[in-house]
Amino acid sequence: MADFLCGLDAAVAVVGGKWKPLILWALSVQPRRTGELRRELDGVSEKVLTQQLRELERDGIVHREVYKEVPPRVIYSLTRKGVALDKALAPLGDWGEEHLADIIAVRQ
């Protein structure tokens, strides 16, 4: 079991990684299939996307619905906890938008 120093430490552990916040952002618009997410998140590999989705599912952020069809259809959506986390990240995204030009400038 992980030991966290504070709530922020726990939250960062849940959304840590390059793709998890972007997965949350994509799913906040609408539920999506794996292929839709892969197309939406340009550059993510299938392996990494699957791993990140499994971790988000484990943490109760994402719900995975499997439809018993041939081939099986899988749709991912945000849970109530996931919606709350997405709302909590919104101010961070606003900060990033506000300072985007400066961030790009200092990194070039």
Side-chain angles (χ1 to χ4, degrees):
M1 177 161 248
D3 289 63
F4 299 110
L5 299 175
C6 63
L8 181 59
D9 190 17
V12 169
V14 171
V15 295
K18 178 179 180 177
W19 298 106
K20 286 181 184 177
L22 297 174
I23 291 168
L24 287 173
W25 169 76
L27 293 177
S28 72
V29 175
Q30 68 184 27
R32 298 181 194 264
R33 296 175 74 168
T34 309
E36 292 173 309
L37 283 169
R38 201 169 48 251
R39 285 188 295 277
E40 181 88 18
L41 306 175
D42 189 37
V44 68
S45 70
E46 187 168 351
K47 177 184 175 186
V48 169
L49 179 59
T50 299
Q51 177 187 7
Q52 302 271 284
L53 284 165
R54 284 182 183 151
E55 290 173 8
L56 288 167
E57 184 182 10
R58 174 202 64 204
D59 291 334
I61 304 302
V62 167
H63 173 71
R64 180 178 186 259
E65 183 77 28
V66 180
Y67 294 87
K68 297 186 189 287
E69 301 172 352
V70 177
R73 180 170 46 118
V74 178
I75 297 184
Y76 292 93
S77 60
L78 294 180
T79 62
R80 281 187 287 166
K81 193 173 10 173
V83 170
L85 179 57
D86 183 61
K87 286 181 183 178
L89 290 174
L92 185 60
D94 293 342
W95 182 90
E97 287 291 329
E98 182 179 337
H99 299 283
L100 187 59
D102 292 336
I103 294 166
I104 291 170
V106 299
R107 291 181 174 228
Q108 289 181 343

